[in-house]
Amino acid sequence: MMALDTVSDASYPERFNFGADVVDHIARTADGPALIWANADGEEARFTYSDISCLSARLASSLSCAGIGKGDRIIVMLPRIPEWQIAMVACLKIGAVAIPCIEMLTAKDIAYRVEAAQAKGVIARAGHTDKFDAVTDCLPVRCVVGTAEGWASFAGLIDVGDPGFEPVAVDAEDPVILYFTSGSTGQPKGVLHAARGLYMWRHSAIEWLDLTPGDVMWCTADTGWSKAGTSILFGPWSCAATTFMYDGPFDPVDRLRLIAKHGVTVYCAAGTELLRVLDEDIAQFDLSRLRRTVSSGEALLPVVVDRWHRTTGHSVAEAYGQTESLMSLGYVPGLAYRSGSVGRALAHNRMAIIDDQGRILAAGAEGDIAIAAPNPQLMLGYWQAPDRTEQCYIDGPDGRWFVTGDRGRVDDDGYFFHMGRHDDVINSSGYRIGPAEVEEVLRTHPAVDDVAVVGAPDPARGEIVMAWIVPKKGYEPSDALVRELQDTVKTITAPYKYPRAIRFVDDLPRTPTGKIRRNILRERAVAEQR
């Protein structure tokens, strides 16, 4: 049998309010730079911990006066701007449950989240408020960055707020953040985390990110993803480090220019992004302060690790995690790289490869990647879905396990190797896309009689969305129809989910019970690449 126990203190306080116990504490005891922000227009802004402490207190005061209280859910749909951090910390100070969302969401996506979470408030940017028109009656508290009729001004709420607002007491088991993440079936599921999770995620910031005061951390993840929470907000600030955030389109040259200009010391990016950056003339940029590069969210090609090491002098430290647990495997400083491995168990995580009976498998055997439970960094559960939550756990002869849904193996030295998903979730440039969501939208088009969506291999994005469509009688496959179908997806749901490849077929492979055999379609997609 092979399991790896790490030695670390897995305890956590009975109460923990990130806004009070981290942001306010650092502001009082060791004030320093918390955030450096820049955008594509050349604008820049800098905030100390005391700035964030004061601004978040003012906003928390106003939101509280408006009716947002402990346990209330509030949508935070903001891009990579300082207002995002301020809003998130303000929600935490109130004890409200923040729901981070990306701006690419459509009105349909938003309505589902608002209704599913029974949200009471929203903070969004002007230009996106119309997406909330259908659910305005459900959201008595509406705050806008900018101006919009019927919405309270973000800046105005800060101006009138009380800088002496006293953060509420938050117990370790109290819910504080809710992420919606794609699954293989149905609508996105809500992943609810407790205050203890925010406290425990600091371990990966210390171990994997290797952050200390004085570091400047740049994670390029979008603000709606859990990775942003841990590597833009909770991780760096738990270590009193500085976060750098850039609001602008991806450009590999800009990445290098900004790393050099702002003295970034720790850089976190998806493997596909690093591959694009490596194609540039890195030598012309001063990256002397960059000492650590990390990556997660998608498989990291060994060639990227090798080229990055030869170019910068240090390897890319990969990590493995998911929205339900955040980082549980990874490379800590000094751990030798092993090709194809996502590293070893991080602090306070007991990891193993198990079979479907919860038995630990021997080194080299393929099975389910599992986390020993209880584990304080694991989610409270799926939002209002106790049965679905319980299905993630299995009791075996070696204890209780949280089954991640990923397949893998472990070697004799405790290095884990990720072998793929159990389900059909598509991972494209770090974005998790549920095939059922895309299929549901495509079925709304009059030309679609039947449809199946799978992930197809792609050298630039890891995977792309590929749709296999049986057209209705009277509709002929054409480039124009492909564009129509793609535009339908872009219009109804988040644009990044649209099928970049569409194949028209006479029928779809199914099991005797009628289920689509996605594995056959994936094999066909792979065969196209040969």
Side-chain angles (χ1 to χ4, degrees):
M1 296 189 300
M2 170 58 67
L4 182 64
D5 292 279
T6 57
V7 179
S8 178
D9 181 10
S11 63
Y12 50 89
E14 291 183 3
R15 290 183 172 180
F16 179 70
N17 184 318
F18 181 87
D21 298 323
V22 174
V23 175
D24 291 352
H25 175 75
I26 295 174
R28 289 193 308 269
T29 62
D31 195 21
L35 175 64
I36 301 171
W37 174 80
N39 68 7
D41 295 328
E43 297 175 311
E44 293 185 7
R46 292 172 181 260
F47 299 81
T48 62
Y49 279 93
S50 57
D51 292 332
I52 300 295
S53 175
C54 179
L55 293 168
S56 61
R58 287 179 176 274
L59 181 60
S61 169
S62 291
L63 290 175
S64 181
C65 289
I68 298 294
K70 185 176 180 180
D72 288 334
R73 276 76 63 196
I74 180 167
I75 300 280
V76 180
M77 194 176 86
L78 296 173
R80 299 173 181 91
I81 56 177
E83 286 85 351
W84 180 73
Q85 277 101 336
I86 294 166
M88 290 292 291
V89 175
C91 290
L92 293 167
K93 286 187 173 183
I94 298 170
V97 178
I99 307 174
C101 296
I102 60 174
E103 285 193 313
M104 281 192 285
L105 296 182
T106 63
K108 175 179 176 291
D109 300 322
I110 289 166
Y112 169 74
R113 285 158 174 76
V114 169
E115 292 165 6
Q118 298 174 307
K120 188 174 181 179
V122 57
I123 302 174
R125 196 167 54 151
H128 293 271
T129 56
D130 61 323
K131 295 179 180 179
F132 293 86
D133 287 348
V135 289
T136 296
D137 292 343
C138 304
L139 299 167
V141 179
R142 299 182 299 279
C143 173
V144 64
V145 176
T147 57
E149 186 176 351
W151 289 60
S153 162
F154 187 95
L157 291 181
I158 287 179
D159 285 344
V160 300
D162 179 7
F165 177 81
E166 190 68 29
V168 304
V170 177
D171 291 340
E173 294 297 320
D174 285 341
V176 294
I177 195 163
L178 177 62
Y179 290 108
F180 279 87
T181 182
S182 293
S184 58
T185 59
Q187 291 287 351
K189 51 186 183 287
V191 179
L192 187 65
H193 279 285
R196 57 169 161 76
L198 273 58
Y199 180 87
M200 296 307 294
W201 295 341
R202 66 206 301 261
H203 284 286
S204 63
I206 296 168
E207 267 205 299
W208 173 52
L209 301 178
D210 192 35
L211 290 171
T212 60
D215 273 314
V216 178
M217 167 89 195
W218 184 13
C219 172
T220 61
D222 207 326
T223 54
W225 307 132
S226 58
K227 185 68 183 67
T230 54
S231 294
I232 296 178
L233 180 55
F234 306 124
W237 287 4
S238 290
C239 298
T242 304
T243 290
F244 173 70
M245 190 162 64
Y246 175 67
D247 184 27
F250 170 69
D251 181 284
V253 173
D254 267 345
R255 289 290 195 260
L256 293 164
R257 178 182 62 81
L258 292 165
I259 290 172
K261 177 179 180 181
H262 295 284
V264 172
T265 59
V266 181
Y267 173 40
C268 176
T272 48
E273 177 178 317
L274 295 175
L275 194 60
R276 292 279 304 278
V277 172
L278 281 165
D279 288 335
E280 303 301 326
D281 183 9
I282 294 179
Q284 67 175 302
F285 299 93
D286 178 11
L287 305 186
S288 58
R289 291 200 61 195
L290 182 65
R291 64 176 183 81
R292 189 162 178 79
T293 303
V294 299
S295 184
S296 68
E298 64 183 51
L300 189 64
L301 298 175
V303 66
V304 174
V305 179
D306 179 62
R307 287 182 60 191
W308 194 265
H309 185 269
R310 285 190 281 111
T311 304
T312 67
H314 64 268
S315 295
V316 181
E318 191 172 2
Y320 163 88
Q322 51 185 181
T323 307
E324 291 86 345
S325 66
L326 278 299
M327 301 308 160
S328 51
L329 296 167
Y331 283 90
V332 300
L335 180 62
Y337 173 72
R338 192 158 294 185
S339 182
S341 170
V342 292
R344 300 176 62 178
L346 295 175
H348 70 267
N349 286 288
R350 181 173 178 246
M351 307 289 295
I353 302 298
I354 65 172
D355 64 15
D356 58 7
Q357 300 300 310
R359 293 176 297 226
I360 297 176
L361 298 177
E366 182 178 333
D368 292 308
I369 300 176
I371 305 171
N375 181 313
Q377 73 180 52
L378 284 171
M379 65 175 179
L380 282 169
Y382 293 120
W383 176 253
Q384 295 186 333
D387 291 342
R388 190 174 194 175
T389 301
E390 185 58 28
Q391 289 170 7
C392 294
Y393 290 88
I394 186 170
D395 292 302
D398 301 294
R400 186 167 173 80
W401 299 94
F402 175 83
V403 183
T404 64
D406 287 304
R407 301 284 289 177
R409 61 182 175 84
V410 61
D411 67 15
D412 288 322
D413 297 318
Y415 283 82
F416 282 76
F417 296 78
H418 181 240
M419 311 296 288
R421 288 290 300 172
H422 236 329
D423 58 25
D424 302 303
V425 172
I426 301 162
N427 194 327
S428 183
S429 296
Y431 289 86
R432 284 171 53 89
I433 302 166
E437 298 176 67
V438 184
E439 290 167 357
E440 179 184 329
V441 174
L442 286 170
R443 286 193 181 96
T444 66
H445 193 283
V448 176
D449 186 49
D450 200 1
V451 58
V453 168
V454 299
D458 181 79
R461 294 179 174 83
E463 285 185 304
I464 59 170
V465 177
M466 176 180 280
W468 299 77
I469 291 175
V470 178
K472 287 183 178 177
K473 290 182 180 180
Y475 288 90
E476 294 296 325
S478 66
D479 290 342
L481 181 56
V482 167
R483 288 191 294 271
E484 269 189 47
L485 293 165
Q486 291 173 329
D487 288 343
T488 296
V489 177
K490 292 178 183 178
T491 301
I492 297 178
T493 190
Y496 67 86
K497 299 177 184 178
Y498 86 92
R500 294 178 181 272
I502 292 178
R503 302 291 181 264
F504 294 100
V505 292
D506 293 331
D507 54 51
L508 297 173
R510 293 182 180 275
T511 66
T513 58
K515 291 183 179 180
I516 294 172
R517 300 182 65 182
R518 298 183 199 274
N519 61 317
I520 291 178
L521 297 176
R522 282 193 293 267
E523 289 169 3
R524 292 178 186 174
V526 170
E528 288 188 10
Q529 304 296 315
R530 295 177 184 144

